[in-house]
Amino acid sequence: MWGKILLVAAAMAASAPASAADRIVDVSSVDGVAALMREAGYKAEIKIGKDGDPYIQSATGGNDFQVLFYGCKNKVGCDSFDFYSWFKKEPFFSAEMANDWNANHRFLKVAIDSDGDLSEYAYISTIGKMTYDNFKDYIAWYGSTDAELVKFVAERRKAAAGAK
């Protein structure tokens, strides 16, 4: 009898989340994502863009970024968001430079926008849910990859200055 009770208890323990951090979270609302970011220790200020759409202003590693939402109705039911930031136009920014970055980085992509700025973005689908740990990992991963991009741009800036 005790053997069966212990077996059932062990099975229940194995199927339960390891901690509260492993809980399932819904990331399909602007307010919900902002609350989760704050819980994870990031600033998350909800703002309204020129187009009237809400976004979150935040920072990681000393670099500002925004969380832009898509497919929302009244800040809920969003089908995706992306982490977004940019570098102000510099003479050495080129499609070749963006392609060099993109060829070597799978998730954080860059592009030269219509103003000549270097835009960076990492797309996240909000369809379904995810664990809180996975959500925190996305932000930490974005921060570390953004730091790599900062170094990449600095190296290109230095090479461009040396070529003159």
Side-chain angles (χ1 to χ4, degrees):
M1 172 84 157
W2 283 107
K4 286 183 182 180
I5 291 172
L6 290 175
L7 184 61
V8 169
M12 289 174 60
S15 66
S19 70
D22 290 337
R23 72 186 189 277
I24 302 299
V25 295
D26 184 351
V27 292
S28 67
S29 77
V30 176
D31 292 329
V33 170
L36 290 168
M37 289 177 72
R38 288 184 201 108
E39 183 180 339
Y42 296 90
K43 84 173 187 175
E45 183 180 351
I46 298 174
K47 295 187 171 190
I48 303 297
K50 293 176 188 173
D51 58 4
D53 289 336
Y55 68 93
I56 297 172
Q57 184 68 42
S58 190
T60 182
N63 298 318
D64 289 339
F65 71 93
Q66 297 172 346
V67 182
L68 307 177
F69 293 84
Y70 304 95
C72 307
K73 288 188 173 74
N74 297 320
K75 298 182 4 179
V76 298
C78 308
D79 60 22
S80 60
F81 64 82
D82 60 26
F83 298 110
Y84 173 80
S85 187
W86 68 95
F87 293 79
K88 195 95 175 124
K89 180 180 179 177
E90 296 196 44
F92 62 90
F93 288 174
S94 67
E96 179 184 352
M97 184 185 102
N99 289 340
D100 187 30
W101 170 269
N102 290 336
N104 295 296
H105 295 84
R106 184 172 173 193
F107 297 107
L108 182 72
K109 297 300 183 180
V110 299
I112 307 298
D113 69 16
S114 60
D115 295 328
D117 300 330
L118 182 68
S119 299
E120 65 175 285
Y121 50 93
Y123 174 85
I124 310 293
S125 172
T126 63
I127 304 300
K129 297 180 176 156
M130 67 176 64
T131 67
Y132 178 63
D133 282 348
N134 189 227
F135 176 77
K136 290 188 314 183
D137 187 56
Y138 272 125
I139 300 171
W141 166 85
Y142 174 79
S144 66
T145 308
D146 176 67
E148 287 179 39
L149 181 58
V150 168
K151 289 179 188 174
F152 176 85
V153 169
E155 290 167 0
R156 294 299 176 108
R157 184 180 296 116
K158 184 177 177 181
K164 292 182 180 180

